[in-house]
Amino acid sequence: MAVRLGTRIAATVAALAMAGTAVAGCAPSTSVAGGGPQKDEKTGTLRVWLFREVANKPKERVVDDVVRDFERRHRGVRVEVQYIPVDSRAEKVKGAFNDPASAPDLMEFGNTDTAGYVVNGGLADVEREFADWDAAEDIDPTAERGVTVGGKRYGVPLFVGARALYYRTDVFEELGLEPPRTLAELTSTARKIRAERPELYGLATGGAYTYAALPFLWAHGGELARATGKSDGEGGSGEAVRYTARVDSPAAKKGIAAYARLLSEDICPPGNCAQMTGNEAVDAFAGGKAGMVIGGDFNRQAVDAGKSKGKYGVVPLPGVKKGTIAPAFAGGNNIGILRSSSHRTLAGELMKELAGKKAQKRFFQGMGFLPTYTDTRAEVAKEEPFVRPFVETLDAGAEFVPVAPGWAEIDAGRILPVMFQRVAQGQTDVDGAAAEADEMMEEVFSR
Protein backbone atom coordinates (compact mmCIF):
# COMPACT_ATOMS: atom_id res chain seq x y z
CA MET A 1 0.00 0.00 0.00
CA ALA A 2 1.70 3.20 -1.15
CA VAL A 3 1.85 6.40 0.88
CA ARG A 4 -0.89 8.79 -0.25
CA LEU A 5 0.70 12.18 -0.75
CA GLY A 6 -0.49 15.64 -1.58
CA THR A 7 0.35 16.85 -5.08
CA ARG A 8 3.21 19.12 -3.96
CA ILE A 9 4.81 16.51 -1.72
CA ALA A 10 4.35 13.69 -4.22
CA ALA A 11 6.19 15.76 -6.80
CA THR A 12 9.05 16.25 -4.37
CA VAL A 13 9.44 12.54 -3.74
CA ALA A 14 9.09 11.68 -7.41
CA ALA A 15 11.86 14.11 -8.30
CA LEU A 16 14.19 12.50 -5.80
CA ALA A 17 13.29 9.06 -7.09
CA MET A 18 14.38 10.12 -10.58
CA ALA A 19 17.68 11.23 -9.07
CA GLY A 20 18.25 7.78 -7.64
CA THR A 21 16.16 7.81 -4.49
CA ALA A 22 13.63 5.03 -4.95
CA VAL A 23 10.44 5.37 -2.94
CA ALA A 24 9.19 1.92 -1.97
CA GLY A 25 5.71 0.91 -0.95
CA CYS A 26 4.99 -0.80 2.35
CA ALA A 27 4.63 -4.53 2.77
CA PRO A 28 1.22 -5.99 1.90
CA SER A 29 -1.33 -5.75 4.66
CA THR A 30 -2.28 -8.92 6.46
CA SER A 31 -5.29 -10.10 8.38
CA VAL A 32 -6.13 -13.25 10.27
CA ALA A 33 -8.80 -15.50 8.87
CA GLY A 34 -11.23 -16.94 11.35
CA GLY A 35 -9.91 -15.43 14.60
CA GLY A 36 -8.04 -17.25 17.36
CA PRO A 37 -7.56 -20.96 18.11
CA GLN A 38 -10.30 -23.24 19.35
CA LYS A 39 -8.08 -25.62 21.36
CA ASP A 40 -4.85 -25.84 23.36
CA GLU A 41 -3.21 -29.16 22.58
CA LYS A 42 -0.52 -30.52 24.90
CA THR A 43 1.01 -32.98 22.41
CA GLY A 44 1.81 -33.00 18.71
CA THR A 45 4.05 -30.82 16.53
CA LEU A 46 5.00 -27.33 17.64
CA ARG A 47 6.08 -25.25 14.63
CA VAL A 48 8.61 -22.43 14.94
CA TRP A 49 9.79 -19.90 12.37
CA LEU A 50 13.09 -18.15 13.00
CA PHE A 51 15.09 -15.81 10.76
CA ARG A 52 18.01 -17.27 8.85
CA GLU A 53 21.26 -15.44 9.59
CA VAL A 54 24.11 -14.96 7.13
CA ALA A 55 26.10 -17.45 9.23
CA ASN A 56 23.30 -19.54 10.70
CA LYS A 57 25.13 -22.47 12.31
CA PRO A 58 25.79 -20.78 15.69
CA LYS A 59 22.09 -19.92 15.94
CA GLU A 60 21.09 -23.45 15.02
CA ARG A 61 23.31 -24.90 17.74
CA VAL A 62 21.66 -22.81 20.46
CA VAL A 63 18.15 -23.51 19.17
CA ASP A 64 18.84 -27.25 18.77
CA ASP A 65 19.95 -27.51 22.38
CA VAL A 66 16.88 -25.66 23.66
CA VAL A 67 14.58 -27.80 21.50
CA ARG A 68 16.24 -31.06 22.53
CA ASP A 69 15.80 -30.22 26.21
CA PHE A 70 12.20 -29.08 25.66
CA GLU A 71 11.24 -32.29 23.83
CA ARG A 72 12.84 -34.40 26.54
CA ARG A 73 10.67 -32.71 29.18
CA HIS A 74 7.47 -32.84 27.11
CA ARG A 75 6.66 -36.39 26.01
CA GLY A 76 4.64 -36.62 22.84
CA VAL A 77 5.81 -33.20 21.64
CA ARG A 78 7.94 -32.60 18.56
CA VAL A 79 9.35 -29.16 17.74
CA GLU A 80 9.79 -28.36 14.06
CA VAL A 81 12.02 -25.32 13.38
CA GLN A 82 12.14 -23.60 10.00
CA TYR A 83 14.62 -20.82 9.22
CA ILE A 84 13.08 -18.27 6.86
CA PRO A 85 14.82 -15.53 4.83
CA VAL A 86 14.46 -12.08 6.38
CA ASP A 87 14.09 -10.30 3.04
CA SER A 88 11.07 -12.34 1.94
CA ARG A 89 9.34 -12.50 5.32
CA ALA A 90 6.46 -10.18 4.30
CA GLU A 91 4.83 -12.66 1.92
CA LYS A 92 5.60 -15.59 4.21
CA VAL A 93 3.97 -13.92 7.20
CA LYS A 94 1.02 -12.72 5.12
CA GLY A 95 0.37 -16.30 4.07
CA ALA A 96 0.58 -17.54 7.65
CA PHE A 97 -1.85 -14.92 8.94
CA ASN A 98 -4.37 -15.66 6.21
CA ASP A 99 -4.06 -19.47 6.42
CA PRO A 100 -3.78 -20.69 10.03
CA ALA A 101 -3.25 -24.27 8.83
CA SER A 102 0.11 -23.24 7.37
CA ALA A 103 1.08 -20.93 10.23
CA PRO A 104 3.69 -21.60 12.90
CA ASP A 105 2.92 -21.54 16.60
CA LEU A 106 5.92 -19.32 17.38
CA MET A 107 7.60 -16.76 15.14
CA GLU A 108 10.59 -14.43 15.25
CA PHE A 109 9.88 -10.91 13.98
CA GLY A 110 11.54 -7.50 13.86
CA ASN A 111 10.58 -5.12 16.63
CA THR A 112 9.39 -2.48 14.13
CA ASP A 113 6.91 -5.04 12.71
CA THR A 114 5.10 -5.62 16.01
CA ALA A 115 2.34 -3.02 15.73
CA GLY A 116 1.34 -3.99 12.20
CA TYR A 117 1.13 -7.66 13.11
CA VAL A 118 -0.97 -6.86 16.17
CA VAL A 119 -3.42 -4.56 14.41
CA ASN A 120 -3.91 -7.19 11.73
CA GLY A 121 -4.69 -9.77 14.40
CA GLY A 122 -1.73 -12.08 13.86
CA LEU A 123 -0.10 -12.08 17.30
CA ALA A 124 -1.46 -13.24 20.63
CA ASP A 125 -0.90 -11.09 23.68
CA VAL A 126 1.40 -12.84 26.18
CA GLU A 127 0.42 -11.06 29.38
CA ARG A 128 -0.26 -14.38 31.11
CA GLU A 129 3.24 -15.62 30.26
CA PHE A 130 4.78 -12.45 31.70
CA ALA A 131 2.66 -12.68 34.86
CA ASP A 132 4.45 -15.69 36.34
CA TRP A 133 7.90 -15.17 34.81
CA ASP A 134 10.51 -13.79 37.21
CA ALA A 135 13.07 -13.09 34.47
CA ALA A 136 10.70 -10.57 32.87
CA GLU A 137 11.60 -8.06 35.59
CA ASP A 138 15.10 -7.77 34.11
CA ILE A 139 14.07 -7.02 30.51
CA ASP A 140 15.35 -3.68 29.22
CA PRO A 141 12.35 -1.26 29.23
CA THR A 142 13.16 0.03 25.74
CA ALA A 143 13.33 -3.51 24.35
CA GLU A 144 10.01 -4.21 26.03
CA ARG A 145 8.48 -1.23 24.22
CA GLY A 146 9.21 -3.11 21.00
CA VAL A 147 6.72 -5.84 21.97
CA THR A 148 4.10 -3.58 23.54
CA VAL A 149 1.02 -2.25 21.76
CA GLY A 150 -1.87 -0.55 23.53
CA GLY A 151 -0.46 -1.49 26.93
CA LYS A 152 -0.24 -5.23 26.19
CA ARG A 153 2.81 -7.31 25.31
CA TYR A 154 2.77 -9.42 22.17
CA GLY A 155 6.03 -11.30 22.44
CA VAL A 156 9.39 -11.39 24.19
CA PRO A 157 12.49 -9.44 23.07
CA LEU A 158 15.03 -11.89 21.66
CA PHE A 159 18.02 -9.58 21.23
CA VAL A 160 18.75 -5.87 20.97
CA GLY A 161 21.23 -3.84 18.98
CA ALA A 162 22.53 -0.28 19.26
CA ARG A 163 24.94 2.03 17.49
CA ALA A 164 27.97 3.89 18.82
CA LEU A 165 30.91 5.85 17.38
CA TYR A 166 33.75 3.95 15.68
CA TYR A 167 36.90 6.03 15.17
CA ARG A 168 40.31 5.43 13.62
CA THR A 169 42.83 5.35 16.45
CA ASP A 170 45.80 5.80 14.09
CA VAL A 171 44.27 8.89 12.45
CA PHE A 172 43.35 10.40 15.82
CA GLU A 173 46.88 9.82 17.12
CA GLU A 174 48.46 11.30 13.99
CA LEU A 175 46.32 14.45 14.21
CA GLY A 176 46.43 14.77 18.01
CA LEU A 177 42.68 14.28 18.38
CA GLU A 178 40.58 12.89 21.24
CA PRO A 179 37.23 11.12 20.89
CA PRO A 180 34.51 13.81 20.81
CA ARG A 181 32.63 14.52 24.04
CA THR A 182 29.65 16.35 22.52
CA LEU A 183 27.85 16.34 19.19
CA ALA A 184 29.33 19.77 18.47
CA GLU A 185 32.81 18.32 19.03
CA LEU A 186 31.91 15.42 16.74
CA THR A 187 31.24 17.91 13.95
CA SER A 188 34.41 19.94 14.56
CA THR A 189 36.52 16.77 14.85
CA ALA A 190 35.12 15.47 11.57
CA ARG A 191 36.02 18.77 9.89
CA LYS A 192 39.60 18.60 11.20
CA ILE A 193 40.03 15.09 9.84
CA ARG A 194 38.71 16.08 6.42
CA ALA A 195 40.91 19.19 6.35
CA GLU A 196 44.11 17.35 7.31
CA ARG A 197 43.36 14.13 5.47
CA PRO A 198 41.20 15.16 2.47
CA GLU A 199 41.23 11.61 1.09
CA LEU A 200 39.05 10.63 4.08
CA TYR A 201 35.49 11.43 5.02
CA GLY A 202 35.65 13.13 8.38
CA LEU A 203 32.64 11.02 9.33
CA ALA A 204 31.10 8.55 6.91
CA THR A 205 27.34 8.97 7.08
CA GLY A 206 24.46 9.56 4.70
CA GLY A 207 21.09 11.00 3.96
CA ALA A 208 19.73 7.46 3.74
CA TYR A 209 21.24 6.40 7.07
CA THR A 210 18.17 7.06 9.24
CA TYR A 211 19.45 5.27 12.34
CA ALA A 212 22.55 7.45 12.43
CA ALA A 213 20.40 10.58 12.14
CA LEU A 214 17.82 9.77 14.82
CA PRO A 215 20.22 10.15 17.79
CA PHE A 216 20.76 13.78 16.76
CA LEU A 217 17.03 14.44 16.76
CA TRP A 218 16.51 12.72 20.11
CA ALA A 219 19.60 14.27 21.74
CA HIS A 220 18.23 17.74 20.99
CA GLY A 221 14.94 16.87 22.69
CA GLY A 222 13.02 16.11 19.52
CA GLU A 223 10.47 13.39 18.82
CA LEU A 224 9.41 11.54 15.71
CA ALA A 225 5.83 11.42 16.91
CA ARG A 226 3.79 11.65 20.08
CA ALA A 227 1.13 9.22 21.29
CA THR A 228 -2.25 10.95 21.44
CA GLY A 229 -4.81 8.18 22.00
CA LYS A 230 -5.91 4.70 21.06
CA SER A 231 -7.91 3.06 18.30
CA ASP A 232 -9.36 -0.42 17.99
CA GLY A 233 -7.14 -2.97 16.24
CA GLU A 234 -8.60 -4.42 13.04
CA GLY A 235 -7.86 -8.00 14.04
CA GLY A 236 -9.71 -7.88 17.33
CA SER A 237 -6.50 -8.30 19.31
CA GLY A 238 -6.46 -5.01 21.15
CA GLU A 239 -5.95 -1.32 20.74
CA ALA A 240 -3.28 0.42 18.72
CA VAL A 241 -1.94 3.79 19.83
CA ARG A 242 -2.62 6.83 17.66
CA TYR A 243 0.33 9.11 16.95
CA THR A 244 0.79 12.70 15.87
CA ALA A 245 3.91 13.55 13.85
CA ARG A 246 6.43 15.84 15.60
CA VAL A 247 9.41 16.20 13.24
CA ASP A 248 8.61 19.87 12.61
CA SER A 249 8.87 20.85 16.29
CA PRO A 250 11.64 23.35 17.19
CA ALA A 251 13.61 20.70 19.12
CA ALA A 252 13.38 18.14 16.32
CA LYS A 253 14.53 20.72 13.76
CA LYS A 254 17.61 21.50 15.85
CA GLY A 255 18.55 17.84 15.63
CA ILE A 256 17.80 17.67 11.91
CA ALA A 257 20.00 20.72 11.30
CA ALA A 258 22.83 19.25 13.40
CA TYR A 259 22.82 16.04 11.39
CA ALA A 260 22.47 17.82 8.04
CA ARG A 261 25.66 19.77 8.82
CA LEU A 262 27.58 16.50 8.57
CA LEU A 263 26.52 16.16 4.93
CA SER A 264 28.80 18.95 3.74
CA GLU A 265 31.88 19.30 1.58
CA ASP A 266 34.13 19.68 4.62
CA ILE A 267 32.93 16.46 6.29
CA CYS A 268 31.01 14.08 3.97
CA PRO A 269 30.32 15.72 0.57
CA PRO A 270 26.65 15.61 -0.48
CA GLY A 271 27.60 14.39 -3.94
CA ASN A 272 28.84 11.17 -2.36
CA CYS A 273 26.96 11.08 0.92
CA ALA A 274 23.41 12.38 0.36
CA GLN A 275 22.35 8.95 -0.92
CA MET A 276 24.66 6.93 1.34
CA THR A 277 23.07 4.13 3.37
CA GLY A 278 24.18 2.71 6.70
CA ASN A 279 25.89 -0.30 5.13
CA GLU A 280 27.73 1.95 2.69
CA ALA A 281 28.91 4.21 5.51
CA VAL A 282 30.24 1.25 7.48
CA ASP A 283 31.89 -0.13 4.34
CA ALA A 284 33.63 3.22 3.79
CA PHE A 285 35.03 3.17 7.32
CA ALA A 286 36.01 -0.49 7.10
CA GLY A 287 37.77 0.19 3.81
CA GLY A 288 39.93 2.92 5.33
CA LYS A 289 38.05 5.80 3.70
CA ALA A 290 36.73 7.57 6.82
CA GLY A 291 37.96 8.81 10.17
CA MET A 292 34.71 7.95 11.97
CA VAL A 293 31.39 6.21 11.47
CA ILE A 294 28.27 5.58 13.53
CA GLY A 295 27.98 1.81 13.54
CA GLY A 296 26.36 -1.03 15.43
CA ASP A 297 27.73 -3.76 17.62
CA PHE A 298 26.59 -6.00 14.75
CA ASN A 299 28.99 -4.23 12.33
CA ARG A 300 32.15 -5.48 14.03
CA GLN A 301 32.69 -8.37 11.63
CA ALA A 302 32.42 -6.07 8.60
CA VAL A 303 34.93 -3.59 10.08
CA ASP A 304 37.36 -6.35 11.01
CA ALA A 305 37.20 -7.68 7.47
CA GLY A 306 38.52 -4.37 6.07
CA LYS A 307 41.60 -2.16 6.15
CA SER A 308 40.62 -0.60 9.50
CA LYS A 309 41.02 -3.87 11.39
CA GLY A 310 43.10 -3.35 14.52
CA LYS A 311 43.14 0.42 14.02
CA TYR A 312 39.87 1.54 15.57
CA GLY A 313 38.19 2.20 18.88
CA VAL A 314 34.54 2.56 19.87
CA VAL A 315 32.93 5.04 22.27
CA PRO A 316 29.29 5.95 22.91
CA LEU A 317 27.99 8.64 20.56
CA PRO A 318 28.04 11.75 22.77
CA GLY A 319 25.05 13.91 23.49
CA VAL A 320 24.60 17.67 23.37
CA LYS A 321 26.29 18.22 26.74
CA LYS A 322 29.56 16.75 28.00
CA GLY A 323 29.05 13.59 29.97
CA THR A 324 25.85 12.63 28.15
CA ILE A 325 25.18 9.94 25.58
CA ALA A 326 22.95 10.52 22.56
CA PRO A 327 19.92 8.19 22.65
CA ALA A 328 20.33 5.38 20.13
CA PHE A 329 17.65 3.47 18.30
CA ALA A 330 17.18 0.13 20.06
CA GLY A 331 16.81 -2.27 17.16
CA GLY A 332 16.39 -5.98 17.49
CA ASN A 333 14.06 -8.94 17.12
CA ASN A 334 11.29 -10.49 19.16
CA ILE A 335 9.65 -13.89 19.36
CA GLY A 336 5.90 -14.27 19.79
CA ILE A 337 2.91 -16.60 19.64
CA LEU A 338 0.45 -16.51 16.75
CA ARG A 339 -3.22 -16.17 17.66
CA SER A 340 -3.96 -19.16 15.45
CA SER A 341 -1.73 -21.49 17.49
CA SER A 342 -3.47 -24.63 18.76
CA HIS A 343 -0.58 -25.22 21.20
CA ARG A 344 -0.82 -22.01 23.20
CA THR A 345 0.55 -23.32 26.51
CA LEU A 346 3.45 -25.21 24.92
CA ALA A 347 4.25 -22.25 22.67
CA GLY A 348 4.40 -19.95 25.69
CA GLU A 349 6.81 -22.26 27.50
CA LEU A 350 9.09 -22.64 24.48
CA MET A 351 8.99 -18.89 23.81
CA LYS A 352 10.35 -18.16 27.28
CA GLU A 353 13.12 -20.73 26.87
CA LEU A 354 14.23 -19.58 23.42
CA ALA A 355 14.29 -15.99 24.70
CA GLY A 356 15.53 -16.87 28.20
CA LYS A 357 18.70 -15.60 29.84
CA LYS A 358 20.69 -18.77 29.19
CA ALA A 359 19.79 -18.84 25.50
CA GLN A 360 20.41 -15.11 25.04
CA LYS A 361 23.86 -15.40 26.58
CA ARG A 362 24.68 -18.20 24.17
CA PHE A 363 23.31 -16.19 21.23
CA PHE A 364 25.74 -13.45 22.25
CA GLN A 365 28.66 -15.86 22.52
CA GLY A 366 27.89 -17.42 19.15
CA MET A 367 26.75 -14.42 17.12
CA GLY A 368 27.30 -11.28 19.17
CA PHE A 369 23.57 -10.55 19.68
CA LEU A 370 23.23 -8.31 22.74
CA PRO A 371 20.93 -9.72 25.44
CA THR A 372 17.75 -7.86 26.29
CA TYR A 373 18.09 -8.58 30.02
CA THR A 374 20.03 -5.82 31.78
CA ASP A 375 21.79 -8.21 34.18
CA THR A 376 22.79 -10.67 31.44
CA ARG A 377 24.00 -7.78 29.29
CA ALA A 378 26.18 -6.53 32.15
CA GLU A 379 27.71 -10.00 32.43
CA VAL A 380 28.66 -10.19 28.75
CA ALA A 381 30.09 -6.66 28.85
CA LYS A 382 32.53 -7.81 31.53
CA GLU A 383 33.54 -10.76 29.38
CA GLU A 384 33.85 -8.81 26.11
CA PRO A 385 35.18 -5.23 26.36
CA PHE A 386 34.21 -4.43 22.76
CA VAL A 387 30.49 -4.34 23.60
CA ARG A 388 30.82 -2.00 26.59
CA PRO A 389 30.19 1.23 24.63
CA PHE A 390 27.02 -0.28 23.19
CA VAL A 391 25.85 -1.51 26.58
CA GLU A 392 26.58 1.93 28.07
CA THR A 393 24.52 3.47 25.27
CA LEU A 394 21.56 1.19 25.93
CA ASP A 395 21.80 1.65 29.69
CA ALA A 396 21.88 5.44 29.27
CA GLY A 397 18.40 5.28 27.73
CA ALA A 398 17.75 4.21 24.16
CA GLU A 399 14.76 5.23 22.05
CA PHE A 400 12.37 3.48 19.70
CA VAL A 401 10.28 4.40 16.68
CA PRO A 402 6.51 4.82 17.10
CA VAL A 403 4.87 1.45 17.77
CA ALA A 404 2.24 2.07 15.13
CA PRO A 405 1.18 0.03 12.09
CA GLY A 406 1.79 3.08 9.90
CA TRP A 407 5.48 3.18 10.78
CA ALA A 408 6.30 0.44 8.27
CA GLU A 409 4.68 2.58 5.57
CA ILE A 410 6.60 5.67 6.66
CA ASP A 411 9.85 3.71 6.67
CA ALA A 412 9.22 2.07 3.31
CA GLY A 413 8.22 5.43 1.83
CA ARG A 414 11.64 6.85 2.80
CA ILE A 415 10.06 9.95 4.26
CA LEU A 416 12.90 10.68 6.70
CA PRO A 417 15.76 9.99 4.25
CA VAL A 418 14.13 12.28 1.70
CA MET A 419 13.93 14.99 4.35
CA PHE A 420 17.66 14.81 5.11
CA GLN A 421 18.61 14.48 1.45
CA ARG A 422 16.66 17.58 0.39
CA VAL A 423 18.44 19.66 3.02
CA ALA A 424 21.87 18.22 2.15
CA GLN A 425 21.38 18.85 -1.56
CA GLY A 426 20.24 22.44 -1.00
CA GLN A 427 16.76 21.82 -2.39
CA THR A 428 15.08 23.32 0.68
CA ASP A 429 15.92 24.46 4.18
CA VAL A 430 15.35 22.56 7.43
CA ASP A 431 12.00 24.26 8.07
CA GLY A 432 10.66 23.32 4.66
CA ALA A 433 11.94 19.75 4.69
CA ALA A 434 10.67 19.11 8.22
CA ALA A 435 7.23 20.52 7.39
CA GLU A 436 6.95 18.30 4.31
CA ALA A 437 8.02 15.18 6.23
CA ASP A 438 5.68 16.01 9.09
CA GLU A 439 2.74 16.37 6.71
CA MET A 440 3.45 13.05 5.04
CA MET A 441 3.85 11.24 8.37
CA GLU A 442 0.68 12.80 9.73
CA GLU A 443 -1.28 11.63 6.71
CA VAL A 444 -0.17 8.04 7.36
CA PHE A 445 -0.81 8.19 11.12
CA SER A 446 -4.29 9.67 10.63
CA ARG A 447 -5.61 6.76 8.56
Side-chain angles (χ1 to χ4, degrees):
M1 182 166 52
V3 182
R4 295 203 304 264
L5 309 176
T7 303
R8 175 176 57 84
I9 298 172
T12 296
V13 175
L16 280 164
M18 293 179 66
T21 305
V23 180
C26 66
S29 61
T30 58
S31 60
V32 169
Q38 303 300 314
K39 52 190 175 181
D40 185 11
E41 298 175 353
K42 302 301 190 294
T43 59
T45 300
L46 195 61
R47 292 184 290 183
V48 182
W49 285 359
L50 300 174
F51 290 155
R52 176 174 295 281
E53 310 299 331
V54 174
N56 206 53
K57 287 299 181 184
K59 186 173 189 175
E60 291 178 28
R61 284 193 286 270
V62 178
V63 173
D64 288 348
D65 286 348
V66 171
V67 167
R68 190 179 302 113
D69 184 60
F70 187 85
E71 290 178 336
R72 186 165 51 243
R73 290 184 289 103
H74 295 80
R75 297 187 63 180
V77 175
R78 177 176 176 269
V79 178
E80 181 182 278
V81 180
Q82 182 180 354
Y83 293 92
I84 66 173
V86 177
D87 293 343
S88 59
R89 71 188 186 280
E91 287 303 313
K92 188 84 171 173
V93 172
K94 179 182 179 181
F97 285 0
N98 289 325
D99 179 18
S102 69
D105 298 280
L106 271 178
M107 180 178 73
E108 180 179 356
F109 54 95
N111 56 10
T112 58
D113 290 332
T114 306
Y117 291 170
V118 170
V119 168
N120 285 299
L123 295 175
D125 83 69
V126 295
E127 289 300 307
R128 76 186 195 192
E129 280 77 13
F130 270 79
D132 60 355
W133 188 26
D134 292 340
E137 297 179 359
D138 298 319
I139 294 176
D140 182 326
T142 305
E144 192 169 333
R145 281 172 59 191
V147 297
T148 305
V149 179
K152 293 182 180 180
R153 288 161 289 201
Y154 290 86
V156 177
L158 189 61
F159 68 86
V160 66
R163 290 169 177 80
L165 183 67
Y166 286 70
Y167 67 98
R168 283 278 297 276
T169 50
D170 57 332
V171 173
F172 272 59
E173 182 178 353
E174 175 191 334
L175 301 181
L177 300 172
E178 295 291 334
R181 297 167 296 174
T182 65
L183 288 176
E185 285 187 11
L186 174 73
T187 304
S188 61
T189 300
R191 285 199 181 104
K192 290 177 183 177
I193 294 171
R194 180 75 172 170
E196 296 293 328
R197 296 283 300 272
E199 77 279 11
L200 300 177
Y201 297 129
L203 172 79
T205 196
Y209 192 2
T210 303
Y211 295 123
L214 290 181
F216 288 76
L217 183 148
W218 289 322
H220 284 83
E223 301 171 280
L224 288 171
R226 180 173 294 177
T228 57
K230 295 181 179 180
S231 61
D232 290 335
E234 295 174 7
S237 50
E239 295 180 320
V241 177
R242 291 196 192 100
Y243 284 88
T244 298
R246 295 281 296 168
V247 294
D248 69 341
S249 70
K253 287 190 286 189
K254 286 182 181 178
I256 295 167
Y259 184 74
R261 283 194 286 272
L262 300 174
L263 303 174
S264 59
E265 293 295 335
D266 57 358
I267 294 178
C268 201
N272 298 331
C273 302
Q275 309 293 333
M276 188 178 285
T277 65
N279 286 341
E280 290 168 342
V282 171
D283 286 346
F285 180 83
K289 299 176 182 178
M292 296 182 287
V293 74
I294 298 168
D297 54 285
F298 41 84
N299 292 131
R300 182 183 189 180
Q301 186 175 358
V303 175
D304 283 343
K307 295 179 181 179
S308 294
K309 179 180 181 179
K311 297 185 290 186
Y312 69 88
V314 184
V315 295
L317 182 68
V320 173
K321 297 180 180 179
K322 291 181 181 178
T324 64
I325 296 174
F329 166 71
N333 287 356
N334 307 321
I335 186 167
I337 304 170
L338 271 71
R339 289 183 68 224
S340 59
S341 173
S342 59
H343 297 87
R344 171 57 192 264
T345 299
L346 288 171
E349 293 177 14
L350 183 57
M351 174 185 70
K352 291 192 286 188
E353 293 187 25
L354 284 170
K357 292 184 179 183
K358 181 179 178 181
Q360 287 199 16
K361 188 168 184 179
R362 289 193 60 198
F363 282 137
F364 170 78
Q365 292 168 338
M367 294 173 290
F369 291 168
L370 284 176
T372 62
Y373 302 96
T374 54
D375 56 344
T376 308
R377 204 160 62 211
E379 289 177 19
V380 304
K382 290 179 181 178
E383 298 173 7
E384 176 52 81
F386 169 79
V387 303
R388 290 175 188 169
F390 303 99
V391 172
E392 289 176 25
T393 298
L394 290 167
D395 289 347
E399 285 288 348
F400 197 62
V401 296
V403 186
W407 179 256
E409 187 174 344
I410 289 167
D411 190 35
R414 296 175 54 84
I415 291 174
L416 295 178
V418 167
M419 176 182 70
F420 288 111
Q421 288 162 349
R422 281 175 52 72
V423 176
Q425 295 171 333
Q427 296 174 352
T428 187
D429 59 13
V430 170
D431 287 341
E436 290 172 354
D438 196 88
E439 184 178 340
M440 288 188 276
M441 291 173 64
E442 188 60 31
E443 187 168 351
V444 176
F445 285 139
S446 66
R447 291 206 288 272

